[in-house]
Amino acid sequence: ASSASADIAPQLKVGLVDLQNGDDATEYWIATDNFYAITQYNRSYFYAMSVIDLGRVIRQAREQM
């Protein structure tokens, strides 16, 4: 998944994911193959976003070492 401000290569195949957050506004994300690979293990888009968020935090922590 990507933030709305991400640059996307024109040849990249993506999907649009909507994450409904109860009373909060729905979040829309651009999903790539990595996102959908995660959903092969667990079909929940919220699970996939959690895995992606965890990966981002780990990458940031490693970059600060």
Side-chain angles (χ1 to χ4, degrees), residues 15-36:
L16 181 62
V17 174
D18 63 329
L19 298 176
Q20 298 177 2
N21 296 316
D23 292 336
D24 293 339
T26 299
E27 291 183 18
Y28 294 93
W29 290 83
I30 297 169
T32 62
D33 289 341
N34 289 341
F35 181 88
Y36 292 110

Side-chain angles (χ1 to χ4, degrees), residues 38-57:
I38 295 168
T39 63
Q40 294 298 310
Y41 171 77
N42 183 323
R43 294 184 51 100
S44 168
Y45 286 172
F46 288 103
Y47 173 81
M49 285 302 300
S50 296
V51 172
I52 290 167
D53 286 341
L54 177 60
R56 287 180 179 156
V57 169

